[in-house]
Amino acid sequence: MNYSYYLGLIFLFFSLSSCDQENYLDIETNYDTTPLQIKGAYQGPDEADFVDFEINIGKLDVNHQYLYWGADVSEGELGPTLIAGVYTSANTWYGSVRYFGLQFWSDQLPANRRWTSAELEQFFAPSNVFELGQGPGLVDIAYRYPGVENTGTLDDISSKSSFLESPAGQLVITKVEEYQFTGIRLAQNSPPTYDGKLVSCLINAEVGLNRNTPTQGNTVSLVTDEVLTLRNVEVTFFVSY
């Protein structure tokens, strides 16, 4: 997939902060992104109760890795697919580590170009509900379970809803709005401008936990009956058009 247009068009959830309040776009990070936050709670097999978590986009994490969003449309085995994920600037043998990811499919929209403003508004209309799974009208949710070594690419990550036989839950679209920001990555004298949609959603979902490091194409072995539950996770992500 082509990420040169968006290395970091990426916004996770909840709590959109103003760029004027703090300069999260440090030129040393070399990624264009906007400060956003994913926030909610998780409970896995190792937790007695739900644990609050947040992922801050456009900042350095505790390991001094810069977090950014990436989103792109491509042709998948099940049709046109939009994959949006939160990555770190640190690369591994399998590529960038993804902390959180969403994959949608459509049987109406194309795979050979970005979806237009009108197409995104219709696909992500407020109150639209995406059940968990793979295929048109569904969403596959990925989450990096704390304490598990995840070095997956966009398609390989240790914890995904599709690793469960019948995952329960859903993603509900709560808001879609126009958004524009100016990047810093390509040229300081003539910075690029990104136009797109901010899509906000609420997630309550089961994710299949796998404690092994995934390998390219080794998805069959990642099927599991260990459940990681995500509760009231608020996400806002950016998709350019």
Side-chain angles (χ1 to χ4, degrees):
M1 299 188 322
N2 180 8
Y3 298 104
S4 61
Y5 292 101
Y6 331 69
L7 265 183
L9 295 183
I10 290 173
F11 309 156
L12 274 191
F13 313 167
F14 240 93
S15 239
L16 176 61
S17 301
S18 170
C19 295
D20 294 334
Q21 294 175 345
E22 183 175 354
N23 181 22
Y24 295 133
L25 302 182
D26 189 335
I27 189 65
E28 294 180 359
T29 62
N30 200 34
Y31 293 94
D32 287 344
T33 194
T34 292
L36 292 169
Q37 183 184 73
I38 298 174
K39 188 174 181 180
Y42 72 88
Q43 182 179 21
D46 302 331
E47 287 76 38
D49 202 351
F50 280 90
V51 178
D52 292 336
F53 77 94
E54 60 182 48
I55 302 174
N56 294 299
I57 309 306
K59 282 188 173 183
L60 296 176
D61 66 6
V62 293
N63 298 315
H64 303 291
Q65 298 173 350
Y66 186 74
L67 300 181
Y68 66 92
W69 259 105
D72 204 359
V73 173
S74 65
E75 181 67 58
E77 293 182 2
L78 301 177
T81 181
L82 170 65
I83 301 177
V86 178
Y87 303 87
T88 73
S89 55
N91 287 321
T92 70
W93 180 262
Y94 298 103
S96 298
V97 176
R98 182 170 55 161
Y99 274 59
F100 199 96
L102 304 171
Q103 183 170 10
F104 302 89
W105 288 264
S106 173
D107 55 5
Q108 304 291 326
L109 300 177
N112 60 350
R113 61 166 173 78
R114 301 180 192 179
W115 296 346
T116 67
S117 175
E119 289 169 340
L120 289 170
E121 281 195 11
Q122 182 175 14
F123 190 80
F124 292 117
S127 299
N128 278 4
V129 176
F130 294 86
E131 303 294 337
L132 303 184
Q134 295 183 318
L138 303 176
V139 61
D140 197 4
I141 298 172
Y143 177 63
R144 185 179 187 274
Y145 184 54
V148 174
E149 184 65 25
N150 290 297
T151 54
T153 64
L154 272 171
D155 302 311
D156 295 306
I157 194 167
S158 289
S159 300
K160 294 177 73 173
S161 293
S162 57
F163 294 162
L164 294 172
E165 183 176 350
S166 300
Q170 60 185 16
L171 179 154
V172 181
I173 303 298
T174 57
K175 186 178 181 180
V176 59
E177 58 186 315
E178 290 287 333
Y179 192 76
Q180 180 186 89
F181 74 95
T182 300
I184 60 175
R185 181 173 56 89
L186 299 179
Q188 295 185 51
N189 295 329
S190 181
T193 297
Y194 298 93
D195 293 287
K197 297 288 186 182
L198 281 184
V199 182
S200 299
C201 58
L202 180 65
I203 296 172
N204 287 280
E206 291 182 344
V207 174
L209 174 62
N210 188 287
R211 299 180 186 273
N212 300 313
T213 299
T215 57
Q216 188 69 29
N218 187 26
T219 57
V220 174
S221 65
L222 298 178
V223 174
T224 179
D225 59 3
E226 281 198 282
V227 176
L228 169 66
T229 303
L230 299 177
R231 184 178 71 180
N232 294 334
V233 178
E234 298 186 20
V235 178
T236 300
F237 58 97
F238 178 82
V239 183
S240 64
Y241 53 69

